[in-house]
Amino acid sequence: MKPLIFQTDFGYADGAVCAMYGVAEMVNPQLRLYDLTHDIPQYDIWEASYRLIQTITYWPEGSVFVSVVDPGVGSQRRSIAVRTRTGQYVITPDNGTLTHIKRMCGIAQARIIDESVNRLPNSGESYTFHGRDVFAYTGARLASGAITFEEVGPEVPCESVTELPMIEATLEDGCVSGTIDVLDVRFGSLWTNIPRELFLQLGVKHGSRVEVTISSDTRTLYKNIIAYARSFADVNVGEPLLYINSLDCVAVAINQGSFAKAYNIGTGINWRLTLRKAPRVVYE
């Protein structure tokens, strides 16, 4: 038995998640079921993609993830299963949910789910709950060993897996720029796509000051000089800081506060963060 991990935007207000658990139990009651999250904002494929890469490489080889954020359910979008280069599996709509995994972790193999075989029996007339009828069912069969990955369906090129638009972080003229990819939801920190190695090319060390500029389209919403800290404990309560998060990328926060709420900051490729080493000020 391999672990089976669920992620959706369903929430817990109704029985959708419980129905997916029930399908897995019917496939094999010995399966070990876990939740990544069911609080993805409705229809937010980008966040679903990010939460997968935040988590997946910390699970053992053979683990099966079922991710269902599917605004195109019932359309011509493909139902897909992939094996990552680190050996985990993801069962999901082919709508961009695999963007971060494809770019940061790598996809070793991709297969279209053959719904003539891998679909909950007697569900063929339902077109609006593929999370239960296709993805949970196929994921449970794969995790339990009832089918092999090859039996999921026909192989397709990894290059054909759908990606969402992304903007790479850059270093130019002494400034590092990137996008605000996602929020550390509970605490309001801003997580960027700027890798630590690129940021450190500015020549900063812990305790240094960094000029931070945050903009959305053509508007500048924040510009300040803040500390580059090892952890939150390095600054006073209520003070902003820049740090390296658990994905080894730059993040910005307020110690015991929400940076996102304080400055009304959002996420996505239109939200840009630019960093440069703070100029040295000499007082006479």
Side-chain angles (χ1 to χ4, degrees):
M1 294 293 165
K2 300 298 183 181
L4 180 61
I5 304 101
F6 290 111
Q7 170 179 273
T8 73
D9 59 350
F10 296 164
Y12 290 103
D14 64 13
V17 173
C18 190
M20 293 172 68
Y21 294 161
V23 167
E25 285 283 327
M26 285 194 296
V27 170
N28 194 312
Q30 295 182 338
L31 275 170
R32 294 171 289 152
L33 308 181
Y34 302 90
D35 292 316
L36 195 164
T37 180
H38 296 289
D39 288 327
I40 298 293
Q42 293 96 320
Y43 321 119
D44 195 335
I45 298 167
W46 176 271
E47 181 148 338
S49 173
Y50 199 95
R51 298 305 175 197
L52 281 173
I53 197 61
Q54 184 181 0
T55 309
I56 194 167
T57 58
Y58 297 99
W59 283 80
E61 185 176 348
S63 299
V64 178
F65 286 74
V66 171
S67 180
V68 187
V69 177
D70 193 14
V73 63
S75 69
Q76 295 301 308
R77 66 100 185 94
R78 303 185 299 183
S79 299
I80 199 165
V82 303
R83 180 169 56 84
T84 71
R85 293 195 181 277
T86 49
Q88 300 86 8
Y89 299 97
V90 186
I91 314 293
T92 189
D94 184 25
N95 58 10
T97 298
L98 294 164
T99 297
H100 288 86
I101 285 177
K102 186 176 179 181
R103 293 212 175 192
M104 300 171 67
C105 174
I107 294 174
Q109 194 175 21
R111 293 183 175 274
I112 301 299
I113 297 174
D114 181 356
E115 295 184 21
S116 67
V117 178
N118 294 302
R119 185 182 177 112
L120 184 68
N122 304 314
S123 68
E125 297 303 315
S126 174
Y127 300 100
T128 59
F129 199 177
H130 287 176
R132 176 196 64 196
D133 300 335
V134 177
F135 301 121
Y137 183 70
T138 303
R141 281 162 57 80
L142 182 60
S144 67
I147 58 172
T148 64
F149 184 60
E150 289 69 25
E151 292 173 306
V152 166
E155 186 173 3
V156 294
C158 297
E159 295 76 18
S160 73
V161 174
T162 301
E163 294 182 64
L164 300 173
M166 293 184 73
I167 298 175
E168 300 294 339
T170 59
L171 171 62
E172 186 175 356
D173 297 329
C175 293
V176 171
S177 296
T179 56
I180 302 172
D181 277 0
V182 76
L183 302 180
D184 185 355
V185 178
R186 190 167 178 82
F187 301 104
S189 305
L190 316 180
W191 284 24
T192 78
N193 71 332
I194 300 172
R196 175 176 53 87
E197 293 87 350
L198 186 65
F199 167 67
L200 292 180
Q201 290 184 41
L202 293 178
V204 296
K205 297 181 180 179
H206 290 124
S208 301
R209 311 293 287 185
V210 179
E211 183 183 88
V212 177
T213 303
I214 299 173
S215 59
S216 176
D217 296 321
T218 59
R219 298 178 302 143
T220 297
L221 289 93
Y222 180 86
K223 188 170 186 177
N224 198 9
I225 294 175
I226 66 177
Y228 169 42
R230 188 183 303 273
S231 71
F232 294 86
D234 291 346
V235 301
N236 295 323
V237 173
E239 187 177 345
L241 68 147
L242 184 145
Y243 67 102
I244 303 301
N245 67 15
S246 58
L247 291 182
D248 211 27
C249 289
V250 168
V252 177
I254 294 175
N255 187 14
Q256 298 187 33
S258 171
F259 198 104
K261 288 182 179 179
Y263 298 101
N264 197 29
I265 306 298
T267 63
I269 60 175
N270 293 326
W271 287 87
R272 304 281 296 174
L273 183 139
T274 301
L275 308 172
R276 73 182 182 104
K277 191 174 183 179
R280 184 178 181 185
V281 178
V282 179
Y283 294 96
E284 294 183 357

